[in-house]
Amino acid sequence: MTEDHEETRKEAIELFQKAYELQMSGALQEACDYYKKSLALHPTAEAHTFLGWTYSFMGRYDDAIQECHRAIEVDPDFGNPYNDIGAYLIEKGRLDEAVPWLEKATKAVRYESYCYPHLNLGRIWEKKGDWYQAMEEYQKALKANPEYALAAKALGRIKGMLN
C-alpha cells in the first residue's frame, strides 16, 4: 500500500467517524454529506451501509436499500447490509421480500450481530401469525445475544399468547 493510499484511507476513516457522530446527534443531512465524502476517498461496505442507515432515519428507504446493495458489491461477506435491506423492506410492508435478505444476514461471514436478523425474521413471522416460527427466531436472537432485551420481550409476548 502506498503512502498516499494510506493517507487517503485514514482521511476517509476520519470523515466516516465525523459522519457517524453527526448521525447520532441528529444532523442527518450533514452526516450524509460526510459519508459521501468518505466514500469518494475510499469506498467501504461500512460507509455505504451507514449512509443507508442515515437515509432510513430520514424515511428514505429506497435510497437506504440502494446503499446497502452498494455495500454488498464492495464486500459481500459483510452482514449488516443484508439485515438492513430486510429491515427496510419490513418497514415498506414487503415482508416476503425481506425474508431471503434476513436469512443471508444470518449466514454472513463478517457479522457481529446475528441477533438482529433473527429478531427481524421473528417480527415477520409474528406479523404473519406464525407464532411458533416467530418464537424460534426470537430464541435464536437470544442465543446469539442473551442480553438482547427486545428479543426477550418479543419471546415473552409470544409465549404469553400461546398460554
Side-chain angles (χ1 to χ4, degrees):
M1 200 178 294
T2 66
E3 191 173 317
D4 285 346
H5 181 77
E6 184 60 27
E7 283 302 312
T8 301
R9 193 181 73 76
K10 284 182 182 177
E11 186 179 347
I13 291 169
E14 289 172 10
L15 290 166
F16 175 88
Q17 290 169 337
K18 175 69 173 170
Y20 181 76
E21 290 169 13
L22 289 164
Q23 178 183 353
M24 292 299 104
S25 72
L28 300 180
Q29 187 55 57
E30 201 174 351
C32 288
D33 295 341
Y34 274 87
Y35 282 127
K36 289 176 185 176
K37 289 175 186 176
S38 175
L39 285 162
L41 289 176
H42 183 75
T44 64
E46 291 82 357
H48 280 297
T49 301
F50 278 69
L51 175 56
W53 193 30
T54 306
Y55 284 148
S56 78
F57 289 171
M58 301 164 85
R60 296 171 54 183
Y61 294 112
D62 291 334
D63 292 329
I65 290 169
Q66 188 174 27
E67 286 303 321
C68 288
H69 283 294
R70 288 181 180 131
I72 292 165
E73 287 174 19
V74 173
D75 182 357
D77 291 336
F78 187 47
N80 298 56
Y82 295 103
N83 176 69
D84 292 358
I85 289 172
Y88 304 149
L89 290 170
I90 291 170
E91 292 304 312
K92 291 175 64 83
R94 293 160 50 187
L95 304 181
D96 292 334
E97 203 176 328
V99 171
W101 292 103
L102 296 167
E103 288 175 344
K104 287 178 185 179
T106 67
K107 296 172 181 73
V109 174
R110 193 166 74 86
Y111 197 27
E112 295 178 11
S113 303
Y114 293 105
C115 59
Y116 297 137
H118 286 297
L119 179 86
N120 284 326
L121 284 164
R123 290 172 53 209
I124 290 172
W125 300 127
E126 188 173 351
K127 286 177 189 241
K128 290 177 159 255
D130 188 336
W131 315 123
Y132 291 101
Q133 193 150 359
M135 191 165 57
E136 184 179 321
E137 291 298 336
Y138 294 144
Q139 288 169 335
K140 288 178 184 177
L142 283 169
K143 185 176 181 189
N145 178 358
E147 305 297 314
Y148 194 21
L150 277 177
K153 183 177 178 183
L155 182 59
R157 182 177 59 247
I158 296 294
K159 284 181 174 180
M161 288 172 35
L162 295 175
N163 285 335

